[in-house]
Amino acid sequence: MDKQEKDNEDKDALIAEVLSRPDSTPVKKKKKRRKKRPQNEGDEDSGVSNRDRKTSSRRKTSGNRTSRSGSEKDRSRRRRPREEGDGIHTFPYDTPLTRDDVEVGNHLKLNVDSNISTSDVAAPTLGRELRHTYKPQSTISKSFEVDPYFESDHFEIFSTENRCDNLLGILKQRRFRMICLILVVLLFILVLVGASKSKSTPSEQSQSGNEQAQFTSQLMSLLSEKSRNAHLLADSPQTTALAWLVNQSKFESYSYKRLVQRYALATIYYSMSGDSWKKNDLWLTEADECNWYPQNDEKFNNCDDDKNLKFLTLSANDLYGSLPDEISLLTALDTIDLSRNDLEGTLSSYIGTLSKISSLNLERNNFTGSIPISLTNLPQIQNLILSSNDFEGEGPLATDLAAWSNLVEISLDSNSLVTGQISKSIKTLSKLRSFLIGNTSINGSIPSEIFSLSNLKYFEAANALLDGQIPTEIGRSTDLLVVRLSRNKLTGLLPSEIGLLPNLEFLTLSENQLSGQIPSELGLLKNILEIKFEDNKFNGIIPSQIGQLTTIAALHVASNSFTQQSLPSEICGLTTSHDLPTSDLRVTCTVVSCDCCSGEDGTKCVAASEAIDHHRHPDDTNCTEPDIFGC
């Protein structure tokens, strides 16, 4: 019996012993077909077995797989097709697997019923552990094969039942590691995105710089020469506003119109000391400029649907400084209210380019210089309120007022240095309701055309320099409520047509040079509250028809040249039966005796020196004529 036959007998004995173990499950075994290779004579003599020869051959080719003897085609031929059930045996747990259990050149398939490890499956003959060990996660019967062709010093176990299970197992074992890797990658991407937003590339910076330069160039073409020169100064409001604008992160996202609008508002902010305002909510932030300094009414919007600013209302907000020419860039403005602040300087003539503006209120500031004639070019203006400032020079009333066809109110009062006359073109202001020019230096006669205005309700021109007579056309303004002409240079008669004003409540003509007799038609003024004729040259008698004025609360007729001996009893009756207090019934006792003018305390009628109508400036604390206008 030769060496090979002896080895076969040893293997058969080993298999029989394994199959006889209690935990083993015999499996049907196919007969292996092996093609015997012819042996050389030298082999038999040296006593080297066929298996040892193959082992030696495999060790010689262990360096590089590509350098193994034979082509890939030959190697495939050496591997016979793997057939299901080929050499299948079942080994229980803790059964050692050694080199003697493997027939080199053939495939041995194993069913493993539980976990195995490299200590459980070893190759002591080769002196190496298995290259890979498959560890099932639960007790599941799996089929494996031993590949003897992998390397000379190693052999490897492969799953022959489902190779995809191997891949899934590997993925499951590495799931936590993969999740961590994915999270790290996502975090890195987020960091890159954030960095790209905060730091643009050189090309993007160049493009942004070009856009800023282009905008600045276009902006300069819109500015006045004064504003362009201001950009030459490093700390001017214009320079500061432009620097703020171009450094905004959203600069490129705004339209050209929005950029101009934000620049104009920023210039206004810096020109009027915005940091010191009572309210500067959201100003100079990334917020929509339509929401800067919001109104109390949440539904109120400062802009139209196209984001064009319509309302600039900053009254009583501690503004000080000057109003810049950039106000003219807000071309959609409807209302400007900067009243009751401390603004100074001249009023920009560019404000006259705001063709859509309907209300301009700048009262109680410290503006100086002349009132721009360009204001007469505002076709939509309805309310022009410039009172209580320090304007000077000839005002717009002396010019053609035809463009103010929508004007409802004009207030120039308490600008003592404003001069000029009232143009006859005032007749074109058919919607005018309030005409206030008191405490100014406006002179000349009262044009009769002003009383052709059927909607006129308030004619306030006290303490001015008006002269001439009161036009008889005054009776045509039947809606008049107030006529104040005290402290002027009016002469002539008081027209009887004044009795045609059924709604008149205040008639003040004190400190003029009016003469003649007081017309009895005054008795028709059924709603009159005050009549003040002191310090004039009226003569004749005080008409008794005044006693019919049951609503009257003040009658001042002292310091005139009346010829009657005593005050009519009808007038005295007003002090007892109606609301006329004796303190407001003023006559000169040395001229007209008045029994109702003396009280039980021994006081007498108002002396001539006390009968003057002390009509004061609104800010005068000695004002003695409070009414709906104050003083």
Side-chain angles (χ1 to χ4, degrees), residues 283-304:
W283 277 76
L284 301 194
T285 66
E286 294 287 353
D288 190 335
E289 64 272 19
C290 296
N291 296 325
W292 292 358
Y293 188 26
Q295 303 295 315
N296 294 329
D297 185 357
E298 295 180 356
K299 297 181 180 179
F300 188 86
N301 195 336
N302 289 318
C303 296
D304 59 20

Side-chain angles (χ1 to χ4, degrees), residues 398-563:
T399 61
D400 187 3
L401 305 176
W404 284 353
S405 58
N406 291 305
L407 190 67
V408 174
E409 176 183 8
I410 181 169
S411 178
L412 303 178
D413 62 290
S414 300
N415 285 282
S416 59
L417 299 179
V418 172
T419 63
Q421 299 184 359
I422 303 173
S423 171
K424 292 183 177 182
S425 62
I426 197 171
K427 65 181 180 181
T428 61
L429 310 183
S430 59
K431 297 180 182 179
L432 188 65
R433 297 176 65 248
S434 183
F435 185 67
L436 310 179
I437 58 172
N439 297 296
T440 66
S441 296
I442 293 176
N443 52 53
S445 61
I446 301 173
S448 60
E449 287 80 3
I450 194 171
F451 296 118
S452 66
L453 305 176
S454 59
N455 292 310
L456 187 64
K457 294 182 181 295
Y458 306 97
F459 181 27
E460 167 63 67
N463 198 24
L465 298 176
L466 297 176
D467 55 24
Q469 298 184 359
I470 299 175
T472 58
E473 286 81 1
I474 191 173
R476 298 170 59 183
S477 296
T478 56
D479 282 349
L480 272 172
L481 297 175
V482 177
V483 175
R484 289 189 179 278
L485 298 173
S486 299
R487 293 188 178 184
N488 279 283
K489 298 179 180 179
L490 297 176
T491 59
L493 302 175
L494 178 62
S496 60
E497 287 80 1
I498 204 166
L500 302 177
L501 306 177
N503 299 310
L504 192 64
E505 295 178 355
F506 298 89
L507 178 60
T508 303
L509 303 175
S510 302
E511 294 188 66
N512 280 285
Q513 300 178 28
L514 296 172
S515 59
Q517 187 168 321
I518 296 176
S520 60
E521 285 79 3
L522 288 181
L524 300 175
L525 304 177
K526 301 302 182 182
N527 292 303
I528 197 71
L529 298 175
E530 291 184 1
I531 294 178
K532 297 182 178 180
F533 292 167
E534 298 151 303
D535 199 21
N536 275 283
K537 296 181 179 180
F538 288 115
N539 54 35
I541 63 173
I542 301 173
S544 60
Q545 288 82 357
I546 293 178
Q548 302 173 12
L549 305 178
T550 58
T551 59
I552 194 168
L555 177 61
H556 298 179
V557 292
S559 298
N560 279 282
S561 303
F562 298 115
T563 58

Side-chain angles (χ1 to χ4, degrees), residues 215 218-224 227 231 238 256-257 259-265 267-268 308-309 324-333 350-351 353-354:
F215 168 75
Q218 294 175 339
L219 177 65
M220 293 301 163
S221 65
L222 300 177
L223 300 182
S224 64
S227 295
H231 278 281
Q238 287 80 2
Y256 174 73
K257 290 179 64 177
L259 289 174
V260 172
Q261 183 168 270
R262 291 175 75 86
Y263 164 77
L265 289 173
T267 304
I268 290 172
N308 297 313
L309 190 70
D325 291 349
E326 279 76 5
I327 189 72
S328 63
L329 298 178
L330 304 174
T331 55
L333 274 179
Y350 284 87
I351 204 169
T353 63
L354 299 175

